[in-house]
């Protein structure tokens, strides 16, 4: 098996990075006209900066207001707008769903794509895949593209204005990266590109985990104060770049499969992708029989930043046997990444581990108290507004 590592062609991050968007595009040979696909809040925050930056670089552009869902019909609308404006590059600016839509349209039209995430809530922006939904918001398909974005540009001044809970959700997604990557590498599993992992991808995944432990709490305080600090910069890089490269070039395992199982329980729909993934990490560590010291380290981190520790924290305080079985069946469905674990995983093992994780998390809370309360069920409309799409 060949080793394969994939990544965006360029990753640019920093305070007020949007002011350099035109320059970065021009330096990569990305010429206008551009079509910018953006959500409402991205437009109000960034339209003036786009005007200055792109005109200084001689890039003409037009704007497509995002319709709210990464669906086939929205992808078609973006493609039609790109055609009308003779776009030669597509720029997505907003949450995960906006970026997923921009990537999908660009891939269909064989155009380069630029991703400008305005939240750091998942590791999707650097990846070469989209999650497509129906117009009603029901999962439809994963789309995997030939190549990763040409440019990912992250403006930490904009991230600092986003809701803290979304940054914490991104930490939950990033928390899984190292554990899933390590499991895949130990089992010689093919990564998202069909190759073996590289040392580089595994090292980045480990750096991702260390950055969460070192900077997660400080970064949360920064975003709660709406300021950019070095800790926030490092944490945003971990959520966006390190986690993205780690999962795509090393692979996913139990934690994301548990997430997929949890989505079958309606009460969890109030919670973000990364929040459910974080619970999936606890379940994975228990399934794998990891030492107590590691579990305690993960629980301490999760507690400190306000990630879920128990079933009640993801809306499943009174989980009945039927729903638990449904979650476990879905988590172990054929083709799920839980089968990347180095041993056979049955639905029964998963339902036991889900219960055990809850007991461990509850005991930890009783002994330590739950320090931060960032999680509270959000409204679906908030999610759509922020465009925080579930990622792979
Ligand atoms: Zn994810």
């Amino acid at each position: 098996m060949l080793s394969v590592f994939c990544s965006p062609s360029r990753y640019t991050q920093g305070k007020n990075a949007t002011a350099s968007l035109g320059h970065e595009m021009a330096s990569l040979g990305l010429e206008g006209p551009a079509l910018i696909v953006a959500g409402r809040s991205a437009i109000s925050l960034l339209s003036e900066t786009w005007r200055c930056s792109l005109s200084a670089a001689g890039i003409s552009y037009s704007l497509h207001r995002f319709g709210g869902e990464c669906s086939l019909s929205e992808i078609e609308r973006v493609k039609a707008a790109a055609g009308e404006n003779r776009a030669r590059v597509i720029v997505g600016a907003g949450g995960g769903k906006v970026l997923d839509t921009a990537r999908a349209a660009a891939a269909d039209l064989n155009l380069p794509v630029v991703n400008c995430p305005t939240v750091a809530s998942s590791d999707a922006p650097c990846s070469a895949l989209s999650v497509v939904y129906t117009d009603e918001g029901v999962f439809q398909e994963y789309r995997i593209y030939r190549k990763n974005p040409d440019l990912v540009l992250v403006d930490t001044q904009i991230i600092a204005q986003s809701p803290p809970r979304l940054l914490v959700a991104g930490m939950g997604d990033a928390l899984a990266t190292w554990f899933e990557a390590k499991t895949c590498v130990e089992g010689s599993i093919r990564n998202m590109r069909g190759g073996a992992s590289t040392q580089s991808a595994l090292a980045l995944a480990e750096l991702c985990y260390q950055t969460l432990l070192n900077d997660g709490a400080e970064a949360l305080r920064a975003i709660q104060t709406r300021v950019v600090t070095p800790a926030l910069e490092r944490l945003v890089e971990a959520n966006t770049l390190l986690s993205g490269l780690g999962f795509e070039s090393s692979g996913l395992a139990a934690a994301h499969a548990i997430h997929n199982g949890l989505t079958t329980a309606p009460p969890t729909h109030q919670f973000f992708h990364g929040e459910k993934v974080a619970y999936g990490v606890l379940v994975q560590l228990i399934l794998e029989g990891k030492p107590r010291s590691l579990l305690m380290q993960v629980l301490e981190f999760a507690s400190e930043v306000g990630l879920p520790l128990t079933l009640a924290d993801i809306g499943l305080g009174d989980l009945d046997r039927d729903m638990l079985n449904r979650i476990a069946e879905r988590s172990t469905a054929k083709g799920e990444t839980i089968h990347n674990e180095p041993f056979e995983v049955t639905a029964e093992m998963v339902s036991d581990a889900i219960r055990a994780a809850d007991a461990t998390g509850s005991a930890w809370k009783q002994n330590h108290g739950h320090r931060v309360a960032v999680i509270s069920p959000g409204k679906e409309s908030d999610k759509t507004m922020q465009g925080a799409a579930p990622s792979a």
Side-chain angles (χ1 to χ4, degrees), residues 41-65:
S41 61
I43 291 173
S44 70
L45 287 168
L46 294 171
S47 53
E48 186 53 29
T49 316
W50 289 330
R51 200 182 57 74
C52 298
S53 176
L54 294 176
S55 66
I59 299 172
S60 65
Y61 68 96
S62 46
L63 197 59
H64 173 86
R65 188 180 288 263

Side-chain angles (χ1 to χ4, degrees), residues 176 179-180 183-184 252-261 277 280-281 283-285 287-288 331 336-341 343 345 350:
F179 299 112
E180 295 189 288
T183 293
C184 289
L252 299 175
H256 270 77
I258 305 288
H259 161 275
N260 292 345
V277 169
V281 171
V283 179
Q284 176 174 330
L285 296 179
L287 260 182
E288 292 177 343
S331 302
E336 260 305 342
T337 54
I338 206 164
H339 303 299
N340 289 344
E341 295 290 331
F343 45 86
V345 183
V350 171

Side-chain angles (χ1 to χ4, degrees), residues 123 173 256 273 277 391-392:
D123 54 20
D173 205 18
H256 270 77
H273 171 82
V277 169
S391 75

Side-chain angles (χ1 to χ4, degrees), residues 221-360:
R221 277 188 278 280
I223 201 170
Q224 283 168 335
T225 324
R226 302 183 139 217
V227 294
V228 178
T229 62
L232 181 68
E233 290 280 3
R234 291 191 293 265
L235 194 279
V236 168
E237 182 188 334
N239 281 14
T240 314
L241 181 66
L242 298 176
S243 180
L245 298 178
F247 100 78
E248 208 173 14
S249 287
S250 288
L252 299 175
H256 270 77
I258 305 288
H259 161 275
N260 292 345
L262 290 171
T263 61
T264 62
T268 69
H269 295 175
Q270 302 285 303
F271 295 87
F272 290 114
H273 171 82
E275 293 170 339
K276 283 171 273 198
V277 169
Y279 192 78
V281 171
L282 300 178
V283 179
Q284 176 174 330
L285 296 179
I286 285 176
L287 260 182
E288 292 177 343
K290 287 286 190 261
R292 180 181 154 81
S293 55
L294 178 61
L295 259 173
M296 293 301 118
Q297 185 181 57
V298 170
L299 286 168
E300 162 127 35
F301 166 73
S303 170
E304 199 171 15
V305 298
L307 281 167
L309 307 186
T310 64
L311 286 168
D313 291 342
I314 46 170
L316 298 176
D318 46 6
L319 181 63
D320 61 33
R321 180 49 68 179
D322 278 355
M323 197 180 275
L324 178 61
N325 287 343
R326 228 174 22 247
I327 292 168
E329 291 291 342
R330 179 64 185 82
S331 302
T332 52
K334 196 162 176 280
E336 260 305 342
T337 54
I338 206 164
H339 303 299
N340 289 344
E341 295 290 331
F343 45 86
E344 194 191 339
V345 183
T346 64
E348 196 183 350
M349 287 161 71
V350 171
S351 56
D352 285 355
I354 286 175
R355 285 257 181 246
D358 181 57
T360 306

Side-chain angles (χ1 to χ4, degrees), residues 53-82:
S53 176
L54 294 176
S55 66
I59 299 172
S60 65
Y61 68 96
S62 46
L63 197 59
H64 173 86
R65 188 180 288 263
F66 180 60
E69 190 55 82
C70 178
S71 60
L72 292 177
S73 58
E74 179 64 17
I75 293 166
E76 289 306 317
R77 279 192 288 276
V78 171
K79 284 161 65 179

